[in-house]
Amino acid sequence: MPCYRIDGVTPVVDPTAYVHPTAVLIGDVQVGPGCYVGPNASLRGDFGRIILKQGSNLQDTCVMHGFPGTDTVIETNGHVGHGAVLHGCIVGEDALIGMNAVVMDGAVISARCIVAATAFVKANFSCEEASLIVGAPAKVLRRLSDEEIAWKQEGTGAYQRLTERCLESLELCEPLGQIEANRPRIDAGDLKPKQKPVT
């Protein structure tokens, strides 16, 4: 992975984490145990500190950054969908940030919340635990059900298993020129698509 020291501060990646080779880590970045960082993610610890805690994931093309002196944090088992932007905010334990959502400075997404795809969470936003947060600007729509929280946890578990799969078997290769006979499908175990229960 492209990894850059700045002002003498070097990123730290736990050996049990998986960071895709195209992700970029700069400066004061801390990637904890069992974390997954997807392709083309940008973690810029050149002003503030960037922290991914155990079992969290930051998917493809996500950006984490913050103002000087701030911490941008994904707490334990946090889940950040493709293309999301986190700037100087806290994503609580077991919370989910949907695809292409933006969470701004000083916002605190409490534990077990779900921020809907494309939501815009304003600076200094706060909410109760287990909230469904939607819209631009984002607001709390309602409390999540136990079923919805379990759905989120299943998805995070899938990314934790993906971390292990990538560490074990992902390798750079040349593409084939044609589809081989009896091409196998990837066996991702119990990761069959499930209908999202959030309405």
Side-chain angles (χ1 to χ4, degrees):
M1 79 200 84
C3 191
Y4 301 92
R5 179 183 300 114
I6 189 169
D7 297 336
V9 180
T10 304
V12 178
V13 177
D14 187 276
T16 63
Y18 175 77
V19 179
H20 191 274
T22 61
V24 178
L25 281 59
I26 300 172
D28 196 358
V29 175
Q30 303 170 16
V31 179
C35 290
Y36 173 88
V37 177
N40 297 306
S42 176
L43 293 81
R44 282 183 50 209
D46 48 11
F47 290 165
R49 177 168 290 169
I50 307 298
I51 303 171
L52 279 70
K53 293 192 180 177
Q54 182 168 359
S56 62
N57 69 78
L58 184 74
Q59 297 172 22
D60 322 51
T61 73
C62 288
V63 174
M64 290 184 73
H65 194 239
F67 289 125
T70 64
D71 291 355
T72 305
V73 181
I74 305 173
E75 297 284 358
T76 301
N77 296 331
H79 188 110
V80 182
H82 317 288
V85 176
L86 307 179
H87 202 279
C89 60
I90 308 293
V91 175
E93 183 172 346
D94 210 19
L96 181 149
I97 307 300
M99 292 182 279
N100 288 316
V102 175
V103 185
M104 293 299 293
D105 302 276
V108 177
I109 306 302
S110 294
R112 295 180 302 285
C113 289
I114 293 177
V115 175
T118 74
F120 178 79
V121 180
K122 292 168 63 173
N124 302 314
F125 176 93
S126 63
C127 59
E128 299 293 325
E129 292 188 3
S131 295
L132 175 61
I133 301 158
V134 302
K139 63 180 181 180
V140 174
L141 185 63
R142 59 174 172 79
R143 185 171 177 81
L144 291 168
S145 68
D146 291 344
E147 180 186 22
E148 290 165 334
I149 293 170
W151 170 84
K152 180 271 168 197
Q153 292 168 337
E154 287 174 10
T156 300
Y159 270 88
Q160 291 166 345
R161 292 187 292 278
L162 178 60
T163 296
E164 296 169 358
R165 291 170 57 212
C166 289
L167 289 171
E168 291 170 2
S169 71
L170 188 73
E171 57 186 332
L172 188 64
C173 65
E174 293 295 324
L176 300 174
Q178 60 183 14
I179 299 170
E180 67 270 52
N182 300 314
R183 181 176 175 85
R185 288 190 176 270
I186 291 179
D187 180 7
D190 59 352
L191 306 182
K192 294 183 171 54
K194 296 180 181 177
Q195 183 67 33
K196 183 178 177 182
V198 176
T199 57

